[in-house]
Amino acid sequence: MNNKDIKNIPENVISRLPKYYRYLQSIIAHKEKITSSELSKYVGVSSSLLRHDLHYFGRFGNKGTGYDVKLLYNEICNTLKLNKTYNAVIIGAGSLGSAICRYYSTRNYSIEIKKIFDINPKIIGVKINNIEIQDIDFLQEYLDENPIDIGIICIPEKVSYNICSILTQSGVKALWNFSSSDVNSSDNCVIKNENLIDSLLTLTYRINNE
Amino acid sequence: MNNKDIKNIPENVISRLPKYYRYLQSIIAHKEKITSSELSKYVGVSSSLLRHDLHYFGRFGNKGTGYDVKLLYNEICNTLKLNKTYNAVIIGAGSLGSAICRYYSTRNYSIEIKKIFDINPKIIGVKINNIEIQDIDFLQEYLDENPIDIGIICIPEKVSYNICSILTQSGVKALWNFSSSDVNSSDNCVIKNENLIDSLLTLTYRINNE
């Protein structure tokens, strides 16, 4: 599949690909084929939705024999551009920053956490899974010397604006923002605002309407 | 707006309502009217998308004078069913569970964290913002005596399945699941799988395609 085709995959299909990717990664070493009903069961989508999503990737199997696990995995990997490593820094070593650091530094998902920055002198130099907490005052210097793809923002909203500016102006390609203040879109940086409140508030809606 | 109308609001509109809700809540005490361009700027959506979303809520203002903040806030509050309190428990007092506990226990968003449960004897009895960490062995007993609406799952996947079963069988209405294993849908419980890996993996896609 070439780049033009990838751009034509709808956003809601893209949003489900990581589920397929994670499951295929977990079975690739010991399974050659998987049927759509097996895969759909494990990833928690209907068989018809799964088949609809995977038709964007061409033919990977015949009815009855199932999908070729390796081919399908490689196509999804290529679409999500996970066949290279992305360098990331976490800003904020509080509970959430530490949780994200622990999570990613023990998993093999093309994301490498290089440093975690904080303002609290008591924790500077401490390591979380071998990743050192560094003084936020050295962030600009660090970014000048090290190409970073993704900034993960785990600090309060009152300080996040300045930090996001430093990151975007230093060539960081994406911000994954957990501060409670949304970062507005930027021309040269992809922004994902992950406001945990919003997620919980749509859950209260669904409790009453499903 | 009656319940039938609420059910007709598309899911992608619902997903943006918490943003509007949060911003309106922050200004309601000192602002009576807001124009669509002001509101759209603060919540980071285009004016036309904002007007499209809010047209589901009827007319709250005239061109030039803007929306009536209080009326619009109340309608969104009513749609998301945030005019009552939801009792929640967090399962797992590690970094992520602690972060979520700190976040919600200091904010006024209709969600009340009642307890946080963990398996580690060293932290049982410790309080996070006045919310006590309790032994997971008492979870069933606690649920039998206290009506809980939402279970927030912050434990590893290998133990999450059993805990989710206890919660759903005890009448918990929604699970907000952060364990790395998705919980499949259940007839009497709303499930939101919040796999942080998935979110980051769609970000790598967007870095390369936007």
Side-chain angles (χ1 to χ4, degrees):
Chain A
M1 189 157 52
N2 64 33
N3 261 339
K4 187 175 162 289
D5 295 331
I6 289 174
K7 285 193 180 179
N8 289 332
I9 301 176
E11 203 179 322
N12 55 356
V13 177
I14 293 294
S15 73
R16 287 186 290 270
L17 294 185
K19 273 184 201 291
Y20 308 149
Y21 171 79
R22 282 190 287 118
Y23 186 68
L24 292 168
Q25 190 184 53
S26 75
I27 62 167
I28 199 166
H30 54 86
K31 208 166 160 70
E32 276 184 28
K33 299 272 184 186
I34 188 163
T35 63
S36 60
S37 63
E38 274 179 287
L39 185 52
S40 71
K41 185 183 153 202
Y42 283 108
V43 296
V45 302
S46 70
S47 273
S48 60
L49 184 61
L50 180 96
R51 281 194 298 268
H52 163 268
D53 287 354
L54 297 191
H55 108 274
Y56 286 97
F57 300 91
R59 287 180 69 83
F60 293 106
N62 297 308
K63 212 167 179 176
T65 60
Y67 297 103
D68 183 304
V69 172
K70 204 167 181 180
L71 278 178
L72 184 54
Y73 173 80
N74 286 340
E75 273 299 318
I76 294 179
C77 197
N78 181 42
T79 302
L80 293 174
K81 291 285 186 290
L82 293 172
N83 31 21
K84 59 182 174 181
T85 299
Y86 297 85
N87 293 330
V89 292
I90 297 174
I91 312 295
S95 311
L96 184 62
S98 302
I100 289 176
C101 186
R102 282 199 187 91
Y103 193 85
Y104 284 102
S105 55
T106 55
R107 281 167 174 85
N108 177 24
Y109 282 123
S110 308
I111 316 287
E112 192 172 328
I113 309 288
K114 305 297 279 186
K115 289 274 181 204
I116 177 164
F117 289 88
D118 203 277
I119 201 169
N120 179 359
K122 288 182 190 163
I123 58 171
I124 307 299
V126 170
K127 287 184 178 179
I128 301 174
N129 284 7
N130 268 326
I131 295 153
E132 195 183 350
I133 302 174
Q134 196 150 346
D135 191 330
I136 192 80
D137 284 347
F138 293 100
L139 176 63
Q140 182 68 68
E141 194 179 318
Y142 181 81
L143 294 172
D144 290 344
E145 290 168 8
N146 300 276
I148 294 296
D149 302 294
I150 300 171
I152 304 174
I153 313 297
C154 304
I155 49 178
E157 61 178 289
K158 62 185 174 199
V159 286
S160 65
Y161 182 79
N162 282 347
I163 294 293
C164 290
S165 297
I166 291 174
L167 290 165
T168 53
Q169 284 166 26
S170 301
V172 167
K173 294 173 192 142
L175 293 184
W176 195 27
N177 174 36
F178 285 90
S179 89
S180 49
S181 174
D182 290 348
V183 177
N184 285 337
S185 57
S186 153
D187 281 346
N188 49 9
C189 187
V190 173
I191 311 280
K192 182 150 179 65
N193 292 304
E194 199 84 50
N195 199 305
L196 296 178
I197 281 288
D198 294 356
S199 202
L200 195 44
L201 297 187
T202 53
L203 200 57
T204 60
Y205 168 83
R206 290 177 56 205
I207 286 177
N208 293 282
N209 289 283
E210 283 188 8
Chain B
M1 186 158 52
N2 64 32
N3 262 340
K4 187 173 162 290
D5 294 333
I6 288 174
K7 286 194 179 179
N8 289 332
I9 302 176
E11 201 179 323
N12 55 357
V13 177
I14 293 293
S15 73
R16 286 186 290 269
L17 293 186
K19 273 184 201 292
Y20 307 149
Y21 171 82
R22 282 189 287 118
Y23 186 68
L24 293 168
Q25 190 184 54
S26 75
I27 61 167
I28 198 166
H30 54 87
K31 207 165 161 72
E32 276 183 26
K33 300 273 185 187
I34 188 163
T35 63
S36 60
S37 64
E38 273 180 287
L39 185 52
S40 70
K41 183 184 156 202
Y42 282 107
V43 296
V45 302
S46 70
S47 273
S48 59
L49 185 60
L50 180 97
R51 282 194 298 268
H52 164 268
D53 288 354
L54 297 190
H55 108 275
Y56 287 97
F57 300 91
R59 287 179 70 83
F60 295 104
N62 298 309
K63 213 168 179 175
T65 61
Y67 297 103
D68 183 304
V69 172
K70 205 168 179 179
L71 278 177
L72 184 55
Y73 173 79
N74 286 340
E75 272 298 319
I76 294 178
C77 198
N78 181 44
T79 302
L80 293 174
K81 293 283 186 293
L82 293 172
N83 30 21
K84 59 182 176 181
T85 299
Y86 297 84
N87 293 330
V89 292
I90 297 175
I91 312 295
S95 312
L96 185 61
S98 302
I100 289 176
C101 187
R102 285 199 185 90
Y103 193 85
Y104 283 101
S105 56
T106 55
R107 282 168 174 84
N108 176 23
Y109 282 123
S110 307
I111 316 287
E112 192 173 327
I113 309 288
K114 305 298 279 186
K115 290 276 180 204
I116 177 163
F117 289 87
D118 204 277
I119 201 170
N120 179 0
K122 288 182 189 162
I123 58 171
I124 307 299
V126 170
K127 286 184 176 178
I128 300 174
N129 285 6
N130 268 326
I131 295 153
E132 194 183 350
I133 302 174
Q134 196 151 347
D135 192 329
I136 192 81
D137 285 347
F138 292 101
L139 176 64
Q140 182 68 68
E141 193 179 319
Y142 181 81
L143 295 172
D144 290 343
E145 291 168 8
N146 301 275
I148 294 296
D149 302 295
I150 300 171
I152 304 173
I153 314 298
C154 303
I155 49 179
E157 62 178 289
K158 61 185 174 198
V159 286
S160 65
Y161 181 79
N162 282 346
I163 294 293
C164 290
S165 298
I166 292 174
L167 290 164
T168 53
Q169 284 164 27
S170 301
V172 167
K173 295 174 192 140
L175 293 184
W176 195 26
N177 175 35
F178 285 90
S179 89
S180 50
S181 173
D182 290 347
V183 177
N184 285 338
S185 58
S186 153
D187 282 345
N188 49 9
C189 187
V190 172
I191 311 280
K192 183 151 178 65
N193 292 305
E194 200 83 53
N195 199 305
L196 296 178
I197 281 288
D198 294 356
S199 202
L200 194 44
L201 298 188
T202 54
L203 200 58
T204 59
Y205 168 83
R206 290 176 56 205
I207 286 178
N208 293 284
N209 289 283
E210 284 189 6

